[in-house]
C-alpha cells in the first residue's frame, strides 16, 4: 500500500467522481483509476460502487476511509512536529472558536501574539459549543476558545481565562431602556430573541430565568450574535448577550443594561487535549493566552 494510493483514494471518496479528483490532484484520470484499482486488488475488496461517471463508497470503503483519515492526521501531526521542532516560531496553530468570541476576543489575542511571533500561522474555524469539544478530542483542533469552560470532559483540560457578565440588550424604545440596571425578573413577560435550542448561550439564559420561576417566551431565534442584535434593533424582542460581544459597540436603536438579581455570568477559557502532547508552537500560544489574560485581569483590578 502506497501513500499516493491513499491520497488518491481519499480525494475520490471526497468528491465521488474520479475526473474531478484527478483535476484536483493535477494528474491524469487514468492514473487515479489505476491507483484505485491497484489498492482494491491489494486489499481484496471493492472500495467503490461505480455509477456511471460517479462513484460511491461501499460499506467497507467507508470503514477504510475512516481509518485512513485517522492515519493521515497522525502523519500530518508528525510532519508538523518535525517542522516545528526545527523552528517553533514558524509553526501552525489550529484553533476552534464560537461566534461570541469571534469579533473581539480572538482577534485581539492573535494580534497581540503576532507582535511577538509574526511568522506563526493560524488555522481558524468557527463552530458550535459541542463541535468545539469534539474537535479538540478528535484532533481537528489543537485547542479551542470556549465559553463556558466545560467541567465534565474527562479527555480535556479546561483553563478559565476570565469570567464575563451576560447583559441585556433592549430596543431603545423599551420602557426599561433608561434604567442603569434591571432585575432579570423584570423581563418575565418580555418576548426574547435567543439562539436556537441546544446552543449553550440559550441554555445559560433559560437556566437563569428558571431559577426565578419562569420560562422565557422566545419569539425569534438567530444562529449568530449579529442576527440576534439585528432582531433586537428591529424591536422584535429583548435578549441577554455576553458583554464582550458589545465591546465594539452595539446596534443603533438598542441599549445595553446590566442584569442584577441575579447577576448572570459565564466563564470563558481554552480547552486542550489531556493525553495528546502539545506541539511547541501550540504550547507557546497556550502559555501566552494564560499570561495575556492574567495581565489584563491585573490591569482591570
Amino acid at each position: 500500500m502506497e501513500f499516493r494510493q491513499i491520497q488518491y483514494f481519499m480525494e475520490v471518496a471526497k468528491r465521488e467522481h474520479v475526473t474531478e479528483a484527478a483535476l484536483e490532484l493535477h494528474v491524469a484520470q487514468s492514473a487515479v483509476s489505476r491507483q484505485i484499482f491497484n489498492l482494491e486488488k491489494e486489499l481484496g475488496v471493492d472500495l467503490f460502487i461505480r455509477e456511471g461517471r460517479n462513484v460511491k463508497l461501499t460499506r467497507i470503503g467507508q470503514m477504510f476511509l475512516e481509518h485512513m483519515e485517522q492515519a493521515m492526521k497522525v502523519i500530518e501531526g508528525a510532519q508538523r512536529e518535525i517542522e516545528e521542532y526545527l523552528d517553533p516560531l514558524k509553526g501552525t496553530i489550529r484553533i476552534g472558536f464560537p461566534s461570541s468570541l469571534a469579533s473581539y476576543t480572538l482577534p485581539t489575542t492573535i494580534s497581540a501574539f503576532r507582535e511577538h511571533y509574526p511568522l506563526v500561522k493560524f488555522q481558524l474555524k468557527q463552530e458550535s459549543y459541542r463541535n468545539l469539544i469534539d474537535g479538540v478530542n478528535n484532533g481537528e483542533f489543537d485547542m479551542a476558545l470556549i465559553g463556558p469552560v466545560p467541567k465534565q470532559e474527562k479527555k480535556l483540560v479546561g483553563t478559565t481565562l476570565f469570567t464575563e457578565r451576560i447583559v441585556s440588550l433592549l430596543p431603545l424604545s423599551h420602557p426599561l431602556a433608561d434604567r442603569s440596571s434591571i432585575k432579570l425578573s423584570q423581563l418575565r413577560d418580555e418576548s426574547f430573541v435567543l439562539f436556537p435550542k441546544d446552543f449553550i448561550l440559550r441554555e445559560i439564559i433559560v437556566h437563569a430565568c428558571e431559577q426565578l420561576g419562569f420560562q422565557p417566551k422566545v419569539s425569534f431565534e438567530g444562529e449568530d450574535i449579529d442576527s440576534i442584535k439585528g432582531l433586537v434593533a428591529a424591536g422584535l424582542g429583548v435578549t441577554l448577550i455576553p458583554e464582550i460581544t458589545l465591546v465594539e459597540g452595539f446596534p443603533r436603536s438598542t441599549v445595553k443594561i446590566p442584569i442584577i438579581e441575579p447577576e448572570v455570568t459565564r466563564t470563558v477559557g481554552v480547552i486542550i487535549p489531556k493525553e495528546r502532547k502539545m506541539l511547541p508552537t501550540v504550547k507557546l500560544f497556550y502559555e501566552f493566552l494564560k499570561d495575556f489574560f492574567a495581565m489584563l485581569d491585573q490591569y482591570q483590578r
Side-chain angles (χ1 to χ4, degrees), residues 166-179:
I166 306 292
V167 299
S168 66
L169 188 69
L170 312 181
L172 200 56
S173 59
H174 194 279
L176 299 175
D178 60 347
R179 303 293 181 90

Side-chain angles (χ1 to χ4, degrees), residues 216-230:
K217 292 181 286 188
V218 182
S219 300
F220 295 93
E221 296 179 342
E223 294 197 354
D224 58 67
I225 292 290
D226 287 337
S227 63
I228 288 175
K229 292 178 184 177

Side-chain angles (χ1 to χ4, degrees), residues 203-243:
E203 292 179 16
I204 291 172
I205 294 164
V206 169
H207 178 71
C209 294
E210 288 176 341
Q211 294 295 98
L212 297 178
F214 73 95
Q215 279 278 341
K217 292 181 286 188
V218 182
S219 300
F220 295 93
E221 296 179 342
E223 294 197 354
D224 58 67
I225 292 290
D226 287 337
S227 63
I228 288 175
K229 292 178 184 177
L231 291 168
V232 173
L236 299 177
V238 304
T239 194
L240 302 187
I241 197 168
E243 190 169 27

Side-chain angles (χ1 to χ4, degrees), residues 279-290:
L279 297 175
T281 308
V282 176
K283 186 174 182 180
L284 193 67
F285 184 67
Y286 179 66
E287 296 300 331
F288 177 87
L289 271 176
K290 293 188 291 184

Side-chain angles (χ1 to χ4, degrees), residues 175-182 186 255-258:
L176 299 175
D178 60 347
R179 303 293 181 90
S180 59
S181 63
I182 58 176
Q186 290 177 277
V255 60
K256 176 188 78 171
I257 304 177

Side-chain angles (χ1 to χ4, degrees), residues 72-253:
M72 290 299 289
K73 286 179 181 177
V74 172
I75 292 170
E76 290 168 2
Q79 290 175 328
R80 287 177 58 213
E81 188 165 356
I82 291 170
E83 291 171 359
E84 291 183 26
Y85 271 114
L86 291 174
D87 191 348
L89 302 185
K90 294 183 180 179
T92 300
I93 307 168
R94 302 168 301 158
I95 302 177
F97 63 95
S99 65
S100 61
L101 302 178
S103 62
Y104 182 77
T105 304
L106 183 63
T108 300
T109 307
I110 289 178
S111 178
F113 179 78
R114 296 196 72 185
E115 288 182 10
H116 301 278
Y117 309 103
L119 299 181
V120 170
K121 298 176 286 296
F122 289 88
Q123 294 177 1
L124 307 173
K125 187 176 182 182
Q126 181 176 310
E127 280 289 3
S128 66
Y129 187 80
R130 187 66 244 176
N131 286 345
L132 291 173
I133 293 171
D134 292 343
V136 174
N137 272 328
N138 65 30
E140 180 182 356
F141 306 128
D142 297 314
M143 65 177 66
L145 292 180
I146 197 165
V149 180
K151 298 179 180 179
Q152 305 299 324
E153 296 295 326
K154 296 181 180 178
K155 295 182 179 181
L156 299 177
V157 175
T159 300
T160 298
L161 300 174
F162 60 93
T163 299
E164 70 168 333
R165 294 189 303 175
I166 306 292
V167 299
S168 66
L169 188 69
L170 312 181
L172 200 56
S173 59
H174 194 279
L176 299 175
D178 60 347
R179 303 293 181 90
S180 59
S181 63
I182 58 176
K183 297 179 181 180
L184 182 55
S185 59
Q186 290 177 277
L187 300 178
R188 178 186 297 268
D189 297 321
E190 298 292 336
S191 294
F192 278 78
V193 180
L194 297 181
F195 282 97
K197 291 180 179 179
D198 297 328
F199 276 64
I200 191 66
L201 278 173
R202 177 172 175 141
E203 292 179 16
I204 291 172
I205 294 164
V206 169
H207 178 71
C209 294
E210 288 176 341
Q211 294 295 98
L212 297 178
F214 73 95
Q215 279 278 341
K217 292 181 286 188
V218 182
S219 300
F220 295 93
E221 296 179 342
E223 294 197 354
D224 58 67
I225 292 290
D226 287 337
S227 63
I228 288 175
K229 292 178 184 177
L231 291 168
V232 173
L236 299 177
V238 304
T239 194
L240 302 187
I241 197 168
E243 190 169 27
I244 205 162
T245 65
L246 302 171
V247 168
E248 298 293 322
F250 32 92
R252 295 175 60 185
S253 304

Side-chain angles (χ1 to χ4, degrees), residues 43-82:
L43 293 173
V45 295
D46 289 331
L47 299 172
F48 294 100
I49 300 170
R50 276 70 178 176
E51 298 179 346
R53 295 184 178 181
N54 293 83
V55 295
K56 287 188 178 297
L57 286 168
T58 62
R59 186 175 65 83
I60 293 178
Q62 182 62 48
M63 185 190 311
F64 185 68
L65 175 63
E66 291 171 4
H67 285 295
M68 290 304 99
E69 286 175 338
Q70 293 299 318
M72 290 299 289
K73 286 179 181 177
V74 172
I75 292 170
E76 290 168 2
Q79 290 175 328
R80 287 177 58 213
E81 188 165 356
I82 291 170

Side-chain angles (χ1 to χ4, degrees), residues 8-17 21 24 48 57 65:
Y8 288 10
F9 162 73
M10 292 181 69
E11 194 64 39
V12 173
K14 174 182 175 182
R15 299 182 181 280
E16 297 187 338
H17 200 286
E24 181 65 24
F48 294 100
L57 286 168
L65 175 63

